[in-house]
Amino acid sequence: GEDVEQSLFLSVREGDSSVINCTYTDSSSTYLYWYKQEPGAGLQLLTYIFSNMDMKQDQRLTVLLNKKDKHLSLRIADTQTGDSAIYFCVADDPGRRALTFGSGTRLQVQP
Amino acid sequence: GAVVSQHPSWVICKSGTSVKIECRSLDFQATTMFWYRQFPKQSLMLMATSNEGSKATYEQGVEKDKFLINHASLTLSTLTVTSAHPEDSSFYICSAHPPGQGGETQYFGPGTRLLVL
């Protein structure tokens, strides 16, 4: 089955850019997502990218997709303390619409 | 936008009791819903696929007799944790998507936190 890997922790200073990287194994995934989870809370969809795109920008968020290398990244510009959370890289199983989650990257933003 | 609700949001129960969690799609019909589980400080893992009008499909390692899934209508799926034990304590999240729409329309419920004493 699909395997999604991402680094566990990232610490940045407020105002800097954050880049969270992810790799996945199933090249048939058609949608790749980034979800945010704050402590004790549910999931918030931040953004997604369709597999035939290589970049998507949405305000402070930029998603880059290298389909050949099965590499996905999320860049958060001008990172704020409110961005501190866990960020999950998620790939879909197009046949079932079920999702495979990465382990999550804990982003810590230092004031 | 579309909304998926879960009830209850929190439940504490004694070991050996059964707990039912509901997942509802509020403004669309869902022939398929998914149940995920998240242990503390871990990622979400797919438990099972709930299919309206037919048996659920369970992921490897998930006991179907322990986690009973019923998808009796196009807007409601229930997950019953039978004879719950402390190791079942977790965050249970369901998701659904409107049929005929793309993968961008995957909606998650707010989750149910289960604590088994």
Side-chain angles (χ1 to χ4, degrees):
Chain A
E2 173 89 86
D3 192 23
V4 179
E5 300 277 347
Q6 53 184 125
S7 53
L8 294 180
F9 186 76
L10 175 66
S11 180
V12 301
R13 290 200 177 276
E14 193 173 18
D16 288 349
S17 291
S18 307
V19 179
I20 302 172
N21 294 300
C22 165
T23 57
Y24 60 99
T25 56
D26 189 347
S27 59
S28 68
S29 291
T30 51
Y31 285 89
L32 296 138
Y33 309 81
W34 285 101
Y35 280 85
K36 177 183 179 182
Q37 186 178 40
E38 296 185 65
L43 293 169
Q44 175 191 352
L45 176 63
L46 283 180
T47 188
Y48 66 91
I49 189 166
F50 191 59
S51 59
N52 68 353
M53 300 167 64
D54 49 27
M55 188 182 92
K56 181 177 180 181
Q57 187 152 2
D58 184 2
Q59 298 183 334
R60 292 191 297 125
L61 306 177
T62 303
V63 179
L64 296 179
L65 174 61
N66 181 328
K67 197 172 178 184
K68 174 176 167 290
D69 294 338
K70 300 191 200 69
H71 182 269
L72 184 75
S73 69
L74 172 70
R75 178 177 180 269
I76 305 172
D78 187 25
T79 313
Q80 303 296 308
T81 53
D83 295 323
S84 293
I86 297 175
Y87 291 80
F88 291 101
C89 173
V90 184
D92 79 334
D93 175 342
R96 298 190 299 164
R97 290 291 179 88
L99 302 180
T100 299
F101 283 73
S103 54
T105 299
R106 183 177 295 275
L107 174 64
Q108 182 180 73
V109 182
Q110 313 269 13
Chain B
V3 175
V4 174
S5 71
Q6 279 184 244
H7 177 80
S9 55
W10 263 101
V11 58
I12 301 173
C13 69
K14 291 183 179 178
S15 189
T17 59
S18 294
V19 174
K20 181 186 283 188
I21 303 170
E22 294 184 345
C23 176
R24 290 182 188 274
S25 55
L26 297 185
D27 52 3
F28 65 94
Q29 295 182 330
T31 53
T32 303
M33 293 183 177
F34 301 97
W35 286 97
Y36 296 83
R37 179 169 56 182
Q38 184 181 31
F39 289 112
K41 300 193 179 196
Q42 293 188 28
S43 188
L44 279 79
M45 298 293 291
L46 178 67
M47 296 176 68
T49 304
S50 173
N51 304 299
E52 190 270 335
S54 65
K55 290 183 180 178
T57 309
Y58 291 82
E59 296 301 299
Q60 192 172 10
V62 178
E63 300 172 58
K64 64 180 191 323
D65 294 330
K66 181 168 183 62
F67 298 98
L68 301 180
I69 291 173
N70 186 344
H71 196 146
S73 79
L74 286 169
T75 59
L76 173 64
S77 173
T78 59
L79 169 69
T80 301
V81 184
T82 62
S83 186
H85 290 285
E87 57 266 30
D88 300 321
S89 299
S90 188
F91 191 47
Y92 293 86
I93 307 177
C94 69
S95 77
H97 68 89
Q101 296 189 25
E104 69 273 16
T105 54
Q106 183 87 236
Y107 300 106
F108 280 88
T112 297
R113 202 164 295 279
L114 169 64
L115 177 61
V116 185
L117 302 176

